[in-house]
Amino acid sequence: MHLSDEERAMLSGREGPAVQKAMEIVAALGEIYEAERLVPVASVQVAGVSYGNLGEAGLDFLREWAGQGARVVVPTSLNPAGMDLEAWRELGVPEQYGQRQLEVIEAYRAMGVSISCSCTPYLAGNTPGFGQHIAWSESSAVSYANSVLGARTNREGGPSALAAAITGRTAEYGLHLEKNRVAHLIVEVTCALNSLSDFSALGYMVGRKAADRLPYFRLDSGLEPGSDELKALGAAMAASGAVALFHVEGVTPEARDLHMLADDAISITIESLDEGYEALDGTSQDIDLVWIGCPHASLAEIEHTADELHGRQLDSKLWVTTSRDVLSTARLEGSVDRIVASAGRVVADACLIGAPLHEMGITSVATNSSKGAFYLRSHTGVRVRFGSLAECVDAATRGRWPA
Ligand code: F3S
């Protein structure tokens, strides 16, 4: 792999041990994946923030790198933490977990990372342009950036994203190269897609079937997919499979203007979403918490939740997770007050995967996100229901899943 003089200097340690370590990671990935060169990145998004996922070993790793003088050189944002960084005590997060989570945040702050704590940075000011090289690590954000924005990123791990932020570079392989962005799986969807949870269930099913093929969707009927629907679709495929890029005919930028379908693509047809709903939905009747906002909610999703509540009082908890940026705008627009008036919460910074749910007395969660349902099951051990926003809000008002 070709390295410039400046990159060689970084690798030799001339810019200090923190930069040397970062360049070692970036260059090693380039060698493994047979990249010809490194490319500059316009922005970085770093996962590996929740203390519940990182643990002490992860916290020590970050502190050590920060202590060696690691500093990011391009705009770098953070994935969600395991709690709302301001309201965590009010929400019942245990003191020890909360303090440790704040130490993780301080390590990132010391490196110059923006404490944005969101998996939808593209809704909060970090919106890469078409064709730009970036190094993002949250799988749903990677999918959105590649597919909906037409930016170029592989699915980075937490340390490799941070290494890209410190060097300002990533190795040019995988989805950074146009030839690897061509779809090999046509997905003909003949059933109607009428809600976010429908797009989410579809994504779950296709993610499991896609293997290493990039999907190219043809949608027959139902909602014209907008930003929120594409966000839900991509997040689900990235969770149930390893899909980091998809195209929707006539909708996503590379399927609108370019020919991104391989001549030897195979085809599958999806006639019903039952398989997706059945795989993710459980049998629990009692619901402790309803979770909307996985990936982090847009303004429209917060507003739709408030509309669905329509002033009804809650019997269980209802949290809408979002970025602090979107929360501020939703406050100004009044939808946060409408949710709070029903005794719900709009929670910033947080993802429930990695949050101390059991210590907070939460053992059953309902969500309209198949990614949320999938990871709640596999990572937290709580009981899960998966359904539409209307069903989830209804469950929150009764404390029970609707019959
Ligand atoms: Fe975001 Fe957590 Fe869902 S990182 S996509 S809210 S699992």
Side-chain angles (χ1 to χ4, degrees), residues 65-81:
W65 214 350
Q68 288 175 332
R71 299 293 177 267
V72 303
V73 297
V74 293
T76 302
S77 62
L78 268 193
N79 223 28

Side-chain angles (χ1 to χ4, degrees), residues 47-193:
V49 183
S50 161
Y51 175 70
N53 294 334
L54 282 173
E56 280 304 295
L59 175 55
D60 287 346
F61 173 81
L62 291 173
R63 276 199 194 119
E64 187 189 322
W65 214 350
Q68 288 175 332
R71 299 293 177 267
V72 303
V73 297
V74 293
T76 302
S77 62
L78 268 193
N79 223 28
M83 63 186 201
D84 186 310
L85 298 180
E86 292 179 7
W88 58 276
R89 282 196 180 91
E90 253 175 76
L91 291 166
V93 173
E95 188 67 26
Q96 198 199 357
Y97 180 100
Q99 293 301 344
R100 285 292 202 250
Q101 181 64 80
L102 293 178
E103 287 174 38
V104 171
I105 296 298
E106 281 319 305
Y108 279 120
R109 200 191 303 277
M111 289 189 252
V113 176
S114 158
I115 309 304
S116 45
C117 291
S118 179
C119 47
T120 57
Y122 46 87
L123 299 179
N126 183 357
T127 314
F130 185 87
Q132 261 183 345
H133 294 286
I134 57 176
W136 285 19
S137 50
E138 153 56 30
S139 66
S140 68
V142 164
S143 172
Y144 192 96
N146 275 320
S147 315
V148 185
L149 303 176
R152 296 182 175 201
T153 178
N154 291 314
R155 185 168 162 173
E156 301 286 347
S160 72
L162 202 46
I166 294 164
T167 60
R169 289 159 171 82
T170 192
E172 191 183 36
Y173 70 94
L175 295 178
H176 289 283
L177 299 170
E178 183 151 332
K179 65 176 184 181
N180 296 327
R181 300 176 66 87
V182 174
H184 285 80
L185 177 69
I186 301 168
V187 185
E188 307 271 4
V189 183
T190 58
C191 55
L193 301 167

Side-chain angles (χ1 to χ4, degrees), residues 79-80 119 138 140 291 293-295 351 353 371:
N79 223 28
C119 47
E138 153 56 30
S140 68
W291 179 25
C294 168
C351 167
I353 312 303
K371 174 174 180 179

Side-chain angles (χ1 to χ4, degrees), residues 324-343:
R324 197 157 287 284
D325 205 70
V326 168
L327 171 63
S328 307
T329 313
R331 259 201 196 109
L332 291 175
E333 294 189 351
S335 47
V336 173
D337 282 348
R338 289 162 63 212
I339 291 172
V340 169
S342 291

Side-chain angles (χ1 to χ4, degrees), residues 154-373:
N154 291 314
R155 185 168 162 173
E156 301 286 347
S160 72
L162 202 46
I166 294 164
T167 60
R169 289 159 171 82
T170 192
E172 191 183 36
Y173 70 94
L175 295 178
H176 289 283
L177 299 170
E178 183 151 332
K179 65 176 184 181
N180 296 327
R181 300 176 66 87
V182 174
H184 285 80
L185 177 69
I186 301 168
V187 185
E188 307 271 4
V189 183
T190 58
C191 55
L193 301 167
N194 293 319
S195 64
L196 278 189
S197 58
D198 282 356
F199 278 89
S200 199
L202 171 66
Y204 174 83
M205 291 165 62
V206 175
R208 292 179 68 93
K209 297 175 200 300
D212 58 354
R213 294 189 170 90
L214 299 184
Y216 183 100
F217 286 89
R218 290 190 177 129
L219 307 178
D220 264 11
S221 62
L223 278 176
E224 173 76 16
S227 169
D228 289 338
E229 288 76 23
L230 297 171
K231 165 164 85 76
L233 178 66
M237 284 190 287
S240 65
V243 177
L245 166 64
F246 63 94
H247 304 293
V248 181
E249 191 167 79
V251 176
T252 53
E254 284 163 291
R256 230 173 20 224
D257 310 328
L258 304 168
H259 183 70
M260 298 306 278
L261 191 53
D263 294 339
D264 61 350
I266 62 163
S267 192
I268 59 169
T269 303
I270 304 283
E271 295 170 337
S272 159
L273 303 174
D274 289 353
E275 182 190 323
Y277 277 100
E278 280 162 16
L280 293 160
D281 192 19
T283 54
S284 172
Q285 291 304 309
D286 295 333
I287 302 296
D288 295 327
L289 169 70
V290 167
W291 179 25
I292 308 299
C294 168
H296 273 177
S298 65
L299 272 179
E301 288 175 272
I302 298 174
E303 202 175 315
H304 292 157
T305 307
D307 291 348
E308 199 65 57
L309 275 166
H310 201 64
R312 287 182 288 170
Q313 286 304 298
L314 297 179
D315 200 47
S316 62
K317 293 182 167 74
L318 179 146
W319 291 355
V320 183
T321 47
T322 190
S323 63
R324 197 157 287 284
D325 205 70
V326 168
L327 171 63
S328 307
T329 313
R331 259 201 196 109
L332 291 175
E333 294 189 351
S335 47
V336 173
D337 282 348
R338 289 162 63 212
I339 291 172
V340 169
S342 291
R345 295 288 303 239
V346 181
V347 174
D349 312 318
C351 167
L352 296 200
I353 312 303
L357 293 176
H358 287 282
E359 290 101 305
M360 295 160 76
I362 295 165
T363 60
S364 58
V365 179
T367 179
N368 65 342
S369 161
S370 68
K371 174 174 180 179

